[in-house]
Amino acid sequence: MSEIILSVKDLTISFQTLDGKVSAVRGVNFDLKKGETLAIVGESGSGKSVSMKAINRVLPQKNTVYDQGEILYQGKNLLELSEREMEKIRGRKIAMIFQDPMTSLNPTMTVGKQIAESILIHEKMPKDKAMMEAIELMRLVGIRNPEESCKNYPHQFSGGMRQRVMIALSLACKPDILIADEPTTALDVTIQSQILDLIDDLKAKLNMSVIFITHDLGVVAHVADRVAVMYAGRIIEIGTAEEIFYNPQHPYTWGLICSMPSLDTKDASLYSIPGAPPNLLHMPKGDAFAPRNAYALAIDFEEEPPFFTVSASHAAATWLLHPDAPKVTPPPEIIRRQHIFNSFMKKDKGGEAYVGSHAASGR
């Protein structure tokens, strides 16, 4: 059994705003195993980034309220640590890559100095040795001629190369956990594939665990060992990548899969989940997805569903899994989309189907 390196238990987070209390994260639970990639997927506003930023305690302190829960790393609850104690973990043990490297990199410093500075903050060593380490990291992430490139500023790099710099910066202290928050969204589709392969290769070389945040199911299939699907601040289905793609149980997961474009479809229209996510200021009674759910039962509008076990590694929070629920057949579009994942899945990386499908989605 793989070692569990991180456990998030009943994490509940709200934001105090002028309009009232926003329930951003509601009772999130998951474990992260050593050496695995866990993908967190869902629409914008589902709570993916908030949950993961909470792990590194980088949410704004002024209006963030950790209502309840634990984030356990090496036997410590990160929510109970002081800021000084967190500084020893943030970046050194748990690192993050953000979506837009141009807003994360300092435009007034050379990239080599920025990477070396990260090393110096956490490691006691001479500056020249830190710069040598920075150059080796740049070489590791595939930046050509790193001895010269380290003297350049962020604006002198392409988008893909800036993201490689960000990855090098994140790996400066060889962290145990890397959190990647939609790191390929702004990139050309071909570069996306290269960055995904790079993160996967580095994970294997450095024996890291990776949490990958995305709304793109093609990315999920390409990198993930396990997948957690989030909706309205709550994980509503979790399982291995194969289970989520080939045996999805929650109607929201069905909708996400049906929304994925296929180059082979003869239908020019693209499916979209009807309606919109709920207002987190005023959560509806029962299941938050019920108003958008064509398969909703009467109980969905009264009680939030618990998790039902599908297998030892797969569970979903839907009343459709209750023993007394009527049998429901997933939409036929699910089957028509599943053939896409055969070429996407991690075992068969980098194929033309990966690039082609992303091109079709306009990402």
Side-chain angles (χ1 to χ4, degrees), residues 7-8 30 47 49-50 60 108 113 138 151 160 219 232 312 331 353:
S7 286
V8 175
F30 68 86
S49 293
V50 172
T108 67
K113 282 187 177 180
M138 292 178 71
K151 302 172 187 175
V219 169

Side-chain angles (χ1 to χ4, degrees), residues 5-300:
I5 192 169
L6 181 79
S7 286
V8 175
K9 299 182 182 298
D10 200 25
L11 180 64
T12 302
I13 301 171
S14 60
F15 296 120
Q16 296 294 344
T17 72
L18 294 176
D19 294 322
K21 181 178 178 181
V22 176
S23 302
V25 176
R26 303 181 301 123
V28 164
N29 292 276
F30 68 86
D31 293 327
L32 180 68
K33 298 174 184 175
K34 184 71 175 175
E36 81 164 344
T37 296
L38 172 67
I40 311 290
V41 63
E43 293 170 288
S44 296
S46 61
K48 308 184 301 295
S49 293
V50 172
S51 301
M52 298 310 111
K53 286 179 180 178
I55 294 172
N56 244 353
R57 296 258 303 275
V58 293
L59 292 170
Q61 295 182 13
K62 186 175 180 180
N63 63 342
T64 303
V65 179
Y66 296 96
D67 297 296
Q68 63 185 39
E70 297 178 316
I71 301 173
L72 301 175
Y73 170 72
Q74 292 185 342
K76 298 177 181 177
N77 182 4
L78 300 184
L79 298 181
E80 295 179 347
L81 300 186
S82 67
E83 180 58 25
R84 177 168 290 186
E85 289 172 316
M86 274 304 300
E87 286 174 357
K88 296 177 182 179
I89 293 174
R90 188 186 300 125
R92 185 178 187 180
K93 298 295 184 180
I94 305 174
M96 290 193 75
I97 307 171
F98 294 99
Q99 185 175 134
D100 184 3
M102 205 54 183
T103 59
S104 302
L105 294 169
N106 187 335
T108 67
M109 289 178 65
T110 64
V111 297
K113 282 187 177 180
Q114 292 186 59
I115 298 171
E117 184 181 67
S118 180
I119 297 170
L120 288 169
I121 288 172
H122 297 288
E123 307 288 343
K124 293 180 180 179
M125 64 173 66
K127 287 185 178 180
D128 56 346
K129 186 176 179 183
M131 182 57 73
M132 288 175 61
E133 291 238 359
I135 290 170
E136 285 306 307
L137 279 167
M138 292 178 71
R139 182 176 286 112
L140 181 66
V141 299
I143 296 175
R144 294 179 182 177
N145 193 12
E147 291 83 2
E148 289 301 316
S149 296
C150 72
K151 302 172 187 175
N152 293 337
Y153 292 86
H155 73 272
Q156 294 175 281
F157 289 82
S158 67
M161 286 297 111
R162 280 197 295 268
Q163 198 57 283
R164 288 174 186 265
V165 170
M166 275 302 302
I167 294 170
L169 192 60
S170 301
L171 299 179
C173 297
K174 299 179 176 60
D176 293 330
I177 300 169
L178 179 66
I179 301 173
D181 190 353
E182 305 218 35
T184 63
T185 298
L187 301 178
D188 172 89
V189 292
T190 304
I191 304 303
Q192 282 186 11
S193 183
Q194 294 175 9
I195 294 297
L196 293 175
D197 285 343
L198 172 62
I199 292 173
D200 206 43
D201 291 341
L202 292 172
K203 182 193 82 166
K205 286 179 182 176
L206 302 176
N207 195 29
M208 287 189 306
S209 302
V210 176
I211 300 176
F212 208 104
I213 307 167
T214 184
H215 60 270
D216 190 324
L217 289 180
V219 169
V220 172
H222 194 71
V223 302
D225 299 305
R226 288 192 304 133
V227 181
V229 181
M230 286 195 74
Y231 184 78
R234 188 185 184 208
I235 290 177
I236 50 87
E237 186 163 6
I238 189 166
T240 66
E242 288 81 1
E243 287 169 332
I244 296 299
F245 291 127
Y246 295 112
N247 188 31
Q249 297 295 316
H250 199 287
Y252 179 64
T253 310
W254 297 348
L256 291 180
I257 293 174
C258 290
S259 301
M260 189 171 182
S262 169
L263 293 180
D264 298 329
T265 184
K266 296 177 183 178
D267 188 356
S269 63
L270 183 63
Y271 175 84
S272 64
I273 301 172
N279 183 343
L280 298 181
L281 274 167
H282 309 288
M283 290 298 298
K285 186 179 180 181
D287 184 2
F289 186 59
R292 307 175 70 186
N293 183 5
Y295 306 90
L297 306 174
I299 194 173
D300 281 305

